[in-house]
Amino acid sequence: MRLFGRKEENTPAVEPDHGIDGFWAWWQETRPRLDSMVAAGDVDGLSEWIAPAVSAVHPDLVWEVAPGKNAAHALVVTAAGDAELRSLAHRWARAAPPADLLWEFHPSRQANPRALELTFDVGGLEFGLDALALGLRVPRGTPRVDVTAYHPIFGELGDDDRMEATLLALDWLLGEDDVARWVGEIIPATFEPIDSIAATHLPAVIADLASGYDEEQWALLEGQTAGGAPLIATARHPLRPVDYPLLDQHIAITLPYSHRDENGLPVGDSVTALRDFEERLAARLLKRRDDAVLAAHLSAEGHRIIHVYADPTGDAAVHAKELIVSWEEGEPRVDVAADPAWTAVVPFVS
């Protein structure tokens, strides 16, 4: 059984409460009825019950009942590429009951080892992954693969249907999170690329690319502020919100520095002080590896801004505020805000 869905107009007899806790309370109460529907192959009935429950968590979440990895079935509730909702989907999955023989739970579509055996209807035509061909290109110095996808039925489909089929195929081949990590530009094509390969080879290409980024790396960047002043920045590379789905709290630490050159960039004792501060900050964050990450910092016009992302249920913001007390070169500041899409560091996102 494979079942997809968004918000439905049908309302189940048991209306779920809003929020994640309400969903799982509803799930436990409704589980016997859902199990009987699965056993009977009642796809319409299952959709009628699950859709409003997921919509009560958030109406823009996308759900899917798919074959499980270890259980018979997997309930997937995903943000479907919406960065604003990724942390919500992962918190939904974290609150799930333990998997059993019948059900497991995921916050994103999982790679399917039998993906090439799958077919589904697209615009009234049969789309089989075994006929999918891909043209692949890795732009120099980037941790992503650009994909041009071709299928024999694409010439008979509209642009939206071609893109939807391509995205779903990539999710099944790699898993939704690895698509977000490693796939760049996606172009569905009506003509097969000259250097295309069978879709079955895509996971191996991605694995080879990923092997070059096993260790922590940082990129040194130069640029200008909106006002034209020089800036220098250092950012994790690759920097991807999908790697830190629960870290949706942005902590901006602003440190003014006294020793600067004619361009407003730090020199001398200020460089030493900034390095010492970041080492102490990193030491604290290292102890909370799952709760916070130092994403990037930039210096310009006499100020360094350090960007940290954290789990709002943790205490990273408290530690940042404690650390700035010792800063002696001007008045430091810590600003904390929700930022699930990591908009504050968009220029650095790989």
Side-chain angles (χ1 to χ4, degrees), residues 87 91 246-250 291 309-317 336 338:
S87 58
R91 289 191 171 94
L246 297 178
L247 308 189
D248 53 2
Q249 179 188 69
H250 177 231
D291 294 336
Y309 279 85
D311 187 331
T313 64
D315 55 4
V336 182

Side-chain angles (χ1 to χ4, degrees), residues 125-339:
L125 300 173
E126 184 176 274
F127 180 92
L129 272 68
D130 59 339
L132 183 66
L134 304 175
L136 307 178
R137 184 177 68 90
V138 181
R140 184 182 298 275
T142 65
R144 292 188 181 275
V145 176
D146 292 339
V147 176
T148 299
Y150 168 78
H151 193 280
I153 69 170
F154 275 3
E156 302 178 57
L157 298 176
D159 291 345
D160 290 344
D161 284 340
R162 286 197 294 267
M163 179 60 79
E164 182 178 356
T166 299
L167 292 174
L168 190 56
L170 292 176
D171 285 348
W172 285 347
L173 287 166
L174 299 175
E176 185 179 337
D177 287 347
D178 269 355
V179 172
R181 288 185 181 98
W182 303 112
V183 176
E185 186 178 18
I186 300 171
I187 302 176
T190 55
F191 295 93
E192 184 172 357
I194 295 176
D195 56 351
S196 67
I197 63 173
T200 186
H201 299 301
L202 179 61
V205 173
I206 295 298
D208 183 61
L209 175 66
S211 66
Y213 297 92
D214 289 339
E215 298 181 359
E216 181 178 293
Q217 299 181 35
W218 292 81
L220 178 63
L221 308 167
E222 297 181 356
Q224 292 182 329
T225 67
L231 69 80
I232 56 173
T234 301
R236 287 183 178 273
H237 181 72
L239 179 62
R240 300 167 300 204
V242 69
D243 291 336
Y244 312 99
L246 297 178
L247 308 189
D248 53 2
Q249 179 188 69
H250 177 231
I251 304 170
I253 305 169
T254 303
L255 303 176
Y257 46 83
S258 303
H259 305 277
R260 67 188 80 169
D261 62 17
E262 65 276 8
N263 293 318
L265 301 177
V267 295
D269 290 344
S270 289
V271 171
T272 302
L274 289 167
R275 184 182 301 117
D276 176 68
F277 181 90
E278 290 188 0
E279 288 176 353
R280 289 185 287 122
L281 175 65
R284 290 207 183 194
L285 296 183
L286 189 61
K287 296 177 182 178
R288 294 158 179 80
R289 186 182 300 273
D290 296 331
D291 294 336
V293 63
L294 175 59
H297 67 69
L298 62 90
S299 300
E301 300 179 313
H303 292 80
R304 172 161 293 183
I305 301 176
I306 303 171
H307 295 281
V308 173
Y309 279 85
D311 187 331
T313 64
D315 55 4
V318 174
H319 286 281
K321 292 175 181 177
E322 290 176 351
L323 278 174
I324 67 168
V325 173
S326 62
W327 187 253
E328 298 178 348
E329 298 188 29
E331 191 67 31
R333 190 174 78 244
V334 173
D335 297 299
V336 182
D339 185 13

